[in-house]
Amino acid sequence: MKLRLKITKEGGLRFISHLEYTRTLERAVRRAKLPAAWTEGFNPHMKLSLASALGLGIESLCEYAELELAAPIDAAAAAAALSAKLPQGIRALAADVVEKAPKLAALLSMASYAADMPEGAPAGLINSAAAGYNEAAEFFYDKKTAPGKPARRLDLKKHTLSVACENLPGRTRLCFDCLIAASGSLRANDLIDALNSRFQLNLDIFAVRITRTGLYKEGRKPLIGEG
Amino acid sequence: MINNEDLLARVEKPGRYAGGELNAIIKGRDGIKVSFALAFPDVYEVGMSYPGFKILYHVLNGLPFVQAERVYAPWTDMEALMRSKGRRLAALETGRELSAFDLVGFTLQYELTYSNIVNMLDLGAVAVLAAARGEKEPFVVGGGPCVFNPEPLADFFDFFIVGDGEELIVETAAACRDWKEAGRPGGRRGFLEVLARLPGIYVPCFYQAEYTGDGRFKQLTAQNPAAPPYIKKRAVKNLDAAGYPTAPVVPFNEIIHDRIALEVFRGCTRGCRFCHAGMVYRPLRERSVAQLKRLARGLVDSTGYNEISLISLSTADYSCLAELLADLSLDFARERVSVSLPSLRLDSFSIEVAQKVSGVRKSGLTFAPEAGTQRLRDVINKGVSEENVLAATSAAFAAGWSSLKLYFMIGLPTETFADLKGIADLAFKVIDAGRRRSGRRDVKATVSVSPFVPKPWTPFQWAEQDSVERTKEKQLYLKSLLCNSRALAYQYHDPQAGALEGLFARGDRRLGRVIVSAWRKGARFDGWSEHFDYGRWRDALSEHAPAAPWRRAFGEGEPLPWDHVRPGVAPEYLLREWKKALKGETTPDCRQGCAGCGVCPALGVGKTMAAR
């Protein structure tokens, strides 16, 4: 029996690594005294896994974690107990109990992102960049890998069909979906970086605030029956 | 509220600067009369691992009129950004910059952090020199082990807290509140005079240093009626009654010691003659098993950590260790909380204990014979025989450990090349005995060798320190003896860093100018090999203290620059031990009988043992 959780990674927590986030969550599970299951052996590990790693600096309203249980519990009660022990920057938004299911990571089909451009970034240019991207049949991007290694060429259109542009008071927001495939998926930063260089937007990349807004299975189905 | 939020995406490990951690204490402004920054002069991961500040944070924030906050040295990438944008160093809790605090307290853990102290003051818009601070600026206070020779830092600090901080820091905060509420009578100087009358407080500007014609330190004399001739350290009588945090801040970022730190006892009874901590943290004060179990329960519940580290100078010497380990494993086995001992001694070490505490995780066993021959181990009063070393290490190999670490020092007083050869011989014997006892071929050991640095208030405070060249020569000789074995790895340390450490350990006030000069030349993070540049220091020294023969032996009757800051061990005892060392005579552990170090009568504090 597994407890499936929908949780967030917000504010200052966007600055901690995936591994540190996982350990932070594990410590909260311990403080909440949830009946976690453990691996066997001399160095037992809590059977806790996250659906998908999030890049450093990205916030999320939809991280999914699964905790294997050693004893049956009520999902709502467990989520409430955990919520009371979560640190600032993580909220539990939904919880469900699943009996048998493949690993979360194997279910994923798509992630949605919202990227807020820096204040004062050229709205007109950004709007036409989004339009230009949407019209292109293919959109190649040379992804930098490790220093000294050759860049990898990706066709972004295979991952992200279109980019929607919202003009909010004082800032521009780009919203897009990225397909998640076994062969690898696109990082939200790569898409912004590609638009920035192709359309000469001169954005301060570090000042773009990216939030993961959705994570789905089988196209666009939620991972937890939210209601 | 995140400090410099717009810069964090541009630096490595931005979590260092984000704050907002679990159990961080952020009070409203109501009723806060004193703001106190606990400033650690190194990077976040190091500073957050320091148990002393966990205690002081808990004690200070336990006072309703104090807001204590944390601040760490920004890494070089962050500093460059902050300076380019004119940002100031601020604390994590409320974002208050250093210059806006009432008190800024630095812990003095290690001599090579001194450049970071100056840098942090400057980044926090606090005048680097105490004499230049205006009425509105904070008081800068230092404490910790290096306070037993604070003289190289005298220019930068308004005052020092000598000894255990739990009680004295509360008295300091209360005095600050009273002085502020009374309308700051006498200004900065008025407050320092109040402080100087508190036992354990040292106000360096109330003393005048004199030097001889040939540039030696002559004496330090009190110039203010409030300033005592000697400052005796403060010691907490009963640790069970002292404050200990059960809800420490839990970082999001991985830190160096990312686990619960439970202080089992303070002080050490061994009397190793090179050991600064062993001399200045006396006397021995053990916590009771019942108290440790209470604290452990609270710590596990409030942090969610999965490991409790039992810390002290020599945890395996705890008088109720077996009982404590048995109880803790009973209490926490179901929750999968492991217990670890960071310091194991060769003679009190038992494999049973090691297996009990490490849950048979075969990692990280370290042994410290410190010297390669029995003669030299007697000189340093290590109290360990070759037999002890081989019995313990081969038992560890037999119990399944495949590698362990052996710590040695080079440059100890009376050392010859025969003693160096003894290090290699002992290392090979450890491997041979390990193979025989375990029946395995693949046993490995890392031989880690550090240059010895004479420290004040130890029996070796009079000793000569090896030059950089001599240390290098010895390191190469050892390398030639060890490099042919696949079972042995050899680690050694930069002798230049050791030279600088020795310079500050026994230096006097004239080094203040050297620190400022080296800092202006770019000295930062000198304890980190990637940032340490001896050249900066060499130049600063030749400009400001060219005649400093800091490595030299001190004469037995010679005035010592640190003589006024007293940890309680009697100078006569240290001299007696120094003379015994030179004759190769040992002194027994003070658990077995009083060696007459003078600490207990001087401080009015006795040995406290948990065992009845």
Side-chain angles (χ1 to χ4, degrees), chain B residues 396-403 434-443:
Chain B
F397 285 132
W401 273 267
S402 56
S403 71
R435 282 177 180 162
R436 271 202 311 279
R437 182 77 199 273
S438 70
R440 298 199 322 272
R441 291 285 306 158
D442 64 338
V443 300

Side-chain angles (χ1 to χ4, degrees), chain B residues 199-458:
Chain B
I201 298 268
Y202 170 49
V203 180
C205 70
F206 291 166
Y207 298 76
Q208 184 77 42
E210 294 169 66
Y211 308 95
T212 62
D214 62 352
R216 294 199 168 192
F217 171 80
K218 187 170 155 197
Q219 62 179 1
L220 195 73
T221 23
Q223 305 288 305
N224 186 304
Y230 296 105
I231 301 91
K232 201 163 61 174
K233 90 166 180 213
R234 292 287 291 273
V236 171
K237 278 194 169 63
N238 175 359
L239 281 193
D240 273 3
Y244 199 80
T246 47
V249 178
V250 182
F252 296 118
N253 261 41
E254 189 166 7
I255 59 170
I256 308 281
H257 298 296
D258 213 1
R259 59 190 70 94
I260 290 167
L262 184 54
E263 186 195 34
V264 175
F265 63 83
R266 203 168 295 176
C268 182
T269 55
R270 297 263 161 193
C272 298
R273 291 173 179 141
F274 56 84
C275 182
H276 186 248
M279 294 292 155
V280 305
Y281 286 113
R282 293 170 173 230
L284 173 78
R285 286 145 296 158
E286 292 188 339
R287 284 191 166 88
S288 65
V289 173
Q291 173 71 351
L292 290 168
K293 285 171 64 178
R294 265 195 303 276
L295 292 172
R297 171 45 64 198
L299 282 158
V300 168
D301 288 352
S302 74
T303 64
Y305 270 123
N306 61 357
E307 186 181 350
I308 302 171
S309 183
L310 301 176
I311 57 164
S312 58
L313 291 171
S314 174
T315 300
D317 289 343
Y318 180 55
S319 64
C320 296
L321 186 66
E323 183 189 345
L324 177 66
L325 291 174
D327 285 6
L328 288 179
S329 67
L330 263 181
D331 289 355
F332 296 108
R334 211 177 45 81
E335 297 162 68
R336 312 297 201 285
V337 176
S338 66
V339 179
S340 63
L341 256 59
S343 62
L344 288 167
R345 283 190 51 95
L346 292 163
D347 45 357
S348 59
F349 172 82
S350 88
I351 280 303
E352 237 172 291
V353 166
Q355 279 179 303
K356 213 181 281 180
V357 297
S358 61
V360 206
R361 225 181 313 171
K362 304 293 180 224
S363 64
L365 266 194
T366 54
F367 300 91
E370 306 290 6
T373 60
Q374 197 54 46
R375 186 199 67 78
L376 193 52
R377 283 193 295 271
D378 289 345
V379 168
I380 66 178
N381 203 41
K382 184 67 194 177
V384 170
S385 68
E386 181 169 296
E387 205 181 336
N388 296 147
V389 176
L390 297 180
T393 52
S394 48
F397 285 132
W401 273 267
S402 56
S403 71
L404 40 88
K405 240 181 162 161
L406 300 168
Y407 281 100
F408 295 94
M409 281 185 282
I410 53 173
L412 288 162
T414 77
E415 179 192 72
T416 66
F417 272 73
D419 298 301
L420 297 179
K421 185 167 181 304
I423 292 177
D425 292 345
L426 185 57
F428 283 111
K429 283 179 190 165
V430 162
I431 295 295
D432 288 343
R435 282 177 180 162
R436 271 202 311 279
R437 182 77 199 273
S438 70
R440 298 199 322 272
R441 291 285 306 158
D442 64 338
V443 300
K444 286 187 165 51
T446 300
V447 178
S448 176
V449 177
S450 312
F452 165 68
V453 178
K455 292 284 161 106
W457 291 108
T458 66

